[in-house]
Amino acid sequence: MQLSTKHLLGIKNLSSQDISLILSTAEQFKEVLQRPVKKVPSLREVTIVNLFYENSTRTRISFELAEKRLSADTINFAASSSSAAKGETLLDTVNNILSMKVDMVVMRHSASGAPHFLAQHIPAAIVNAGDGINEHPTQALLDAFSIQEKTGSLQGRKVALIGDIMHSRVAQSNIYLLKKMGAEVVVCGPPTLIPKHIASALGVSVSYNIKETLAWCDVANVLRIQLERQNQVLFSSLREYNIAYGISRQLLDSLNKEIVIMHPGPINRGVELNSDVADSKQSIILQQVENGVAVRMAVLYLLSGRTAQA
Amino acid sequence: MKTLINNQALLTIIDRLADQLLIAYPDVSTTVLVGIQQGGVVVSNLLYQALQKNSKGAIVEHGQLDITFYRDDVRHKILAPDTMHLPFAIEGKTVILVDDVLFTGRTIKAALDALFDYGRPDRVKLCVLADRPEHRQFPIQADHIGQVISTQRNDKLKLRVNEKGQAELLLLSA
């Protein structure tokens, strides 16, 4: 069985079979990560460049670790310390790198659609590590893997995405994925942070009431307030956001069930999540990070076959 | 399609191999059985049952090894992995690798690579249901062989488990 795509640009164009294949392959890589030697030789002949035009800690380290655990050679590129700062175009930069015999590109960019543009012009396989406010497919895959691991299955699972839906590529990828895999999705946040037509466009339900949403869901994926992407005032203060939509111990204790708390990181403590929730045993935030490496290994492994001829 | 070893003959071979193993490795506490996905797992499960019966309940640990990530043709063909399950330490143990058919030797080479990522066994032995010795591409030979089978290079041999759960070795001609 193979993926139906040469690149991983987003979840939007993946089939549910593709998603299942990635998740089941990731399970085997998770086993690899528990061994004394946490490494397999599968991508020994592959060179991968990590092109990061936007800051990242978790995703970059996670991809780099995944590549190393697969025995691939890796190069790291950060736009801030490169010729991009001198005005070189994206395509020139990438073509220069590829001329040094690089097989795969992992890319993060602040412009939505940047990896899609690149995919039309270069032969190498591309993995989108986040593009603007469009998609962050590997985050959605690792979230799905973590939900499946914790609760058994995605089918029929009630998942709430809470917070800044408007600016969140994590939310968009999660919605595509969860809907394809048969989960029910509610998005919840202040009206200014939820796109107007999201219900009809993506088939999710919208709620503006945090307590009702938490009472409904099995899993709450709490998103970061993306201050860097908001160029106008969308809520009055962080303190007010925390009071209206932040998740506190008290709020969780008022529910008559235990829900799973997730967050893609980095957490704004005291804004969307209080510390007594983020660090509680209900939270699987650190398991998400651990699973991220296995999921990215699966994606790179499954896409690597398509680079042999290029 | 032709049946090379039917279920009855296969079970007789398994019994004989189990007897051989018990004589060769009398200390079952330091011996582990590891089947290679997928056919080898079927054979090792049968061997495990036979060993349990013949060694009067002494426990032989057994697991399964998947070589997908260690294949030397991974650049040409990406395959979805099977389950890997070695729930015990192999450090200092006698590992009996079990496969259905020994052909070119490439699978065993990959299995050895995979195995050593789990630890350093005392020794590794190879037990196979069927051997096709004239097509070997690596200097690898089995220690315990169920049956030697003369084949053409292009022949495909497949261990199949039918609806009744009975295993048989088939020849799918080229």
Side-chain angles (χ1 to χ4, degrees):
Chain A
M1 206 172 149
Q2 292 207 321
L3 289 181
S4 66
T5 170
K6 183 184 172 210
H7 310 285
L8 179 66
L9 300 176
I11 302 294
K12 191 177 180 180
N13 297 319
L14 288 186
S15 66
S16 56
Q17 288 89 335
D18 288 332
I19 295 167
S20 298
L21 176 62
I22 294 171
L23 296 181
S24 64
T25 304
E27 268 177 50
Q28 301 313 316
F29 279 118
K30 182 145 189 193
E31 191 274 342
V32 169
L33 297 176
Q34 320 296 325
R35 296 182 198 169
V37 179
K38 298 169 184 52
K39 195 165 174 155
V40 290
S42 313
L43 263 60
R44 218 169 30 190
E45 300 154 49
V46 177
T47 306
I48 303 175
V49 60
N50 300 313
L51 274 180
F52 278 75
Y53 279 87
E54 198 183 61
N55 293 338
S56 162
T57 311
R58 225 168 320 271
T59 307
R60 192 176 55 72
I61 291 179
S62 180
F63 266 109
E64 201 178 334
L65 211 47
E67 292 152 5
K68 295 199 153 123
R69 303 273 196 233
L70 287 165
S71 304
D73 290 322
T74 65
I75 324 166
N76 288 314
F77 167 100
S80 52
S81 60
S82 74
S83 287
K86 298 178 193 161
E88 190 177 45
T89 66
L90 171 63
L91 198 52
D92 279 342
T93 302
V94 174
N95 273 326
N96 275 280
I97 293 172
L98 292 181
S99 69
M100 294 184 257
K101 309 286 180 243
V102 170
D103 307 292
M104 298 178 84
V105 178
V106 172
M107 179 183 178
R108 167 168 289 194
H109 205 288
S110 56
S112 303
H116 305 70
F117 163 77
L118 214 52
Q120 289 168 4
H121 292 94
I122 64 166
I126 297 173
V127 179
N128 182 0
D131 65 322
I133 56 168
N134 181 35
E135 283 222 45
H136 190 352
T138 56
Q139 180 70 43
L141 287 161
L142 78 88
D143 287 347
F145 184 91
S146 304
I147 294 173
Q148 214 173 46
E149 185 181 64
K150 180 78 184 176
T151 70
S153 129
L154 294 168
Q155 182 68 41
R157 196 64 58 216
K158 293 175 176 165
V159 182
L161 298 167
I162 297 167
D164 186 354
I165 308 299
M166 178 90 84
H167 301 92
S168 176
R169 54 195 177 206
V170 175
Q172 176 134 303
S173 287
N174 257 288
I175 292 169
Y176 285 135
L177 193 153
L178 292 166
K179 298 293 293 178
K180 282 177 203 268
M181 301 309 279
E184 290 179 56
V185 184
V186 163
V187 295
C188 174
T192 48
L193 291 179
I194 294 184
K196 221 174 189 170
H197 301 291
I198 191 165
S200 55
L202 297 178
V204 296
S205 308
V206 177
S207 164
Y208 302 116
N209 184 316
I210 183 84
K211 195 164 177 194
E212 276 173 25
T213 303
L214 292 176
W216 169 83
C217 71
D218 305 315
V219 177
N221 198 347
V222 187
L223 306 173
R224 184 171 64 92
I225 294 298
Q226 308 217 1
L227 294 168
E228 77 278 17
R229 287 188 222 281
Q230 298 175 3
N231 43 23
Q232 51 183 316
V233 180
L234 295 168
F235 50 88
S236 39
S237 71
L238 291 176
R239 191 176 127 73
E240 190 183 298
Y241 182 88
N242 181 253
I243 291 167
Y245 286 97
I247 299 182
S248 63
R249 188 74 256 161
Q250 201 187 359
L251 185 55
L252 286 186
D253 287 344
S254 73
L255 311 169
N256 51 14
K257 61 174 182 178
E258 187 157 294
I259 62 171
V260 178
I261 299 289
M262 300 171 68
H263 191 295
I267 307 172
N268 294 315
R269 285 180 183 260
V271 183
E272 66 264 8
L273 267 190
N274 289 2
S275 285
D276 52 6
V277 174
D279 305 329
S280 71
K281 65 174 177 44
Q282 276 171 271
S283 142
I284 58 165
I285 296 172
L286 292 175
Q287 285 94 309
Q288 287 175 266
V289 179
E290 184 189 349
N291 291 338
V293 178
V295 166
R296 290 180 173 113
M297 285 172 85
V299 167
L300 293 167
Y301 169 77
L302 291 168
L303 288 176
S304 70
R306 306 305 179 89
T307 64
Q309 313 86 325
Chain B
M1 198 168 75
K2 191 178 130 193
T3 305
L4 293 174
I5 304 176
N6 66 26
N7 183 249
Q8 201 183 355
L10 190 140
L11 292 177
T12 310
I13 293 173
I14 294 285
D15 272 337
R16 182 165 51 74
L17 284 173
D19 288 344
Q20 271 187 31
L21 295 181
L22 280 176
I23 293 165
Y25 318 105
D27 185 1
V28 285
S29 65
T30 60
T31 306
V32 301
L33 214 55
V34 176
I36 301 171
Q37 289 279 13
Q38 300 172 344
V41 171
V42 176
V43 178
S44 86
N45 285 342
L46 291 171
L47 266 174
Y48 179 71
Q49 288 163 16
L51 286 170
Q52 289 288 301
K53 204 170 62 198
N54 299 353
S55 68
K56 299 179 184 70
I59 291 168
V60 182
E61 287 188 290
H62 86 312
Q64 43 195 255
L65 194 71
D66 177 54
I67 61 149
T68 309
F69 300 140
Y70 295 82
R71 296 168 64 94
D72 60 5
D73 59 353
V74 68
R75 311 294 329 119
H76 307 293
K77 201 172 171 192
I78 291 291
L79 299 174
D82 284 302
T83 309
M84 191 86 159
H85 188 59
L86 288 181
F88 44 80
I90 59 166
E91 202 74 28
K93 298 271 174 67
T94 296
V95 176
I96 303 170
L97 272 181
V98 181
D99 208 357
D100 50 353
V101 180
L102 177 57
F103 178 35
T104 61
R106 285 176 194 270
T107 300
I108 306 304
K109 193 260 174 199
L112 289 170
D113 289 343
L115 195 64
F116 277 76
D117 283 352
Y118 282 86
R120 186 172 179 275
D122 184 42
R123 52 183 177 168
V124 182
K125 296 287 176 178
L126 178 59
C127 174
V128 297
L129 176 68
D131 189 11
R132 306 171 66 184
E134 61 269 63
H135 306 296
R136 203 81 79 242
Q137 296 166 349
F138 280 72
I140 286 172
Q141 313 302 340
D143 302 284
H144 307 280
I145 299 167
Q147 188 171 331
V148 176
I149 296 176
S150 173
T151 56
Q152 300 297 312
R153 174 78 180 82
N154 291 336
D155 286 347
K156 291 227 175 339
L157 273 61
K158 185 159 176 55
L159 188 79
R160 194 183 65 178
V161 180
N162 68 16
E163 351 29 274
K164 290 184 213 149
Q166 299 167 326
E168 48 192 6
L169 189 69
L170 305 174
L171 170 70
L172 316 171
S173 274

